[in-house]
Amino acid sequence: MVATLLAPPVGVDEARALARELLTGDRLRHTAGVAARAEDLAETIGDHDAEILVVAAWVHDIGYGDRAVDTGFHPLDGARFLDGLGWPARISALVAHHSGARFVARPLGLAGALARYPDEGTAVSDALT
């Protein structure tokens, strides 16, 4: 998949705000830690994708938020929630595939739904996972 720049208004500030709106407690602390680690790793993947990695890190677990739960499979629920908000497809796909989601989706009967989101297999997706 060809990398694309984030189109305003979706950036780190918006991703952080969305995570803080949907997540609480340990889940929010975990997410903030993942985002901090993503900031550390961002310099290793290049300026072009650095912001995308940090944005995806902030929203990677929003599928756990009560408003986002649909299937009960948080990577897919998070991706669908982002789609509903009109976020960039690349961010939705990164969220959909974090944490090796493809390995869990099949036994849950959700492989077809997950397949809607391309697994880009790039340094960005590796860093997020």
Side-chain angles (χ1 to χ4, degrees):
M1 173 182 228
V2 175
T4 57
L5 293 173
L6 284 177
V10 177
V12 174
D13 291 341
E14 291 78 15
R16 183 185 307 112
L18 183 60
R20 289 178 175 164
E21 180 181 331
L22 296 175
L23 304 173
T24 60
D26 288 342
R27 182 63 54 196
L28 181 56
R29 282 188 288 281
H30 159 76
T31 297
V34 170
R37 184 68 177 128
E39 288 175 0
D40 294 340
L41 291 172
E43 67 185 48
T44 69
I45 62 168
D47 292 340
H48 183 72
D49 285 335
E51 183 179 12
I52 291 169
L53 172 60
V54 177
V55 167
W58 270 110
V59 296
H60 81 280
D61 268 356
I62 63 165
Y64 283 117
D66 291 341
R67 287 183 25 220
V69 173
D70 179 27
T71 67
F73 184 44
H74 85 277
L76 182 59
D77 291 348
R80 287 176 166 181
F81 190 81
L82 291 171
D83 286 349
L85 296 176
W87 280 51
R90 185 174 183 201
I91 300 299
S92 297
L94 286 165
V95 167
H97 286 282
H98 85 278
S99 300
R102 66 180 178 198
F103 300 109
V104 179
R106 184 173 313 279
L108 294 176
L110 296 170
L114 187 65
R116 177 188 180 287
Y117 299 94
D119 186 358
E120 66 180 61
T122 63
V124 175
S125 62
D126 287 350
L128 181 62
T129 297

